[in-house]
Amino acid sequence: MPNSIINHYHEELEDWHNTIEFYSGEIEGFEASLSDLIHSNTIPHLAENAEYFLNQFSGLRSEFGGIGMELAAQEARLEEKEKMEQDVKYASQVTQQQNTLRDRMKTVEQHFIELKYSCQQFLATHHR
């Protein structure tokens, strides 16, 4: 596998890592806002909706954590440059794993973005 592809994969993994860190910070902000809303409001319907968002964000946090571990494993595979250059089967497996990570990251990111905008609308409507 050419070094240019390995370098591209490294850059892609670093970008995903940075994206996960950024989204994790946003999730913390949403969780704080939702918790504030729950504690400052006694209307059960609002608390139920806020809990829904909190649960969804918690699930996303777990998914991002799992992807983070997979990113670290993929980085380790990419560090074996000699093996990547000499073992076609290994290089193919690394490429397949990169594609799988890309698809997974795309799916989880889309879910996060949809949830983010739904939560922003909910907070804008119900936050005091």
Side-chain angles (χ1 to χ4, degrees), residues 60-109:
L60 279 171
R61 181 188 303 278
S62 294
E63 287 191 64
F64 281 132
I67 291 173
M69 288 188 286
E70 291 177 36
L71 295 178
Q74 182 73 346
E75 276 290 343
R77 285 187 283 273
L78 290 173
E79 291 301 319
E80 297 193 42
K81 289 183 182 182
E82 221 174 272
K83 191 172 183 181
M84 295 279 292
E85 293 170 358
Q86 296 173 0
D87 187 342
V88 175
K89 185 177 179 183
Y90 183 76
S92 177
Q93 290 171 341
V94 170
T95 297
Q96 184 178 8
Q97 183 62 31
Q98 190 81 11
N99 292 337
T100 300
L101 278 168
R102 188 179 299 111
D103 290 343
R104 185 163 177 221
M105 186 67 188
K106 178 182 174 185
T107 300
V108 175
E109 230 179 326

Side-chain angles (χ1 to χ4, degrees), residues 9-63:
Y9 286 173
H10 278 294
E11 290 172 9
E12 194 171 35
L13 293 172
E14 181 65 26
D15 182 49
W16 293 335
H17 176 73
N18 292 337
T19 298
I20 288 170
E21 281 188 18
F22 179 76
Y23 287 162
S24 294
E26 285 195 308
I27 288 172
E28 287 177 20
F30 283 118
E31 288 172 334
S33 295
L34 290 164
S35 292
D36 288 348
L37 180 66
I38 289 170
H39 295 339
S40 68
N41 206 316
T42 58
I43 302 172
H45 176 69
L46 288 180
E48 289 173 12
N49 287 336
E51 286 289 337
Y52 164 80
F53 284 111
L54 284 171
N55 290 334
Q56 291 294 307
F57 282 123
S58 177
L60 279 171
R61 181 188 303 278
S62 294
E63 287 191 64

Side-chain angles (χ1 to χ4, degrees), residues 112-126:
F112 171 77
I113 290 169
E114 290 171 8
L115 185 64
K116 171 184 172 174
Y117 285 108
S118 295
C119 185
Q120 285 174 330
Q121 184 174 0
F122 171 76
L123 289 171
T125 305
H126 300 339

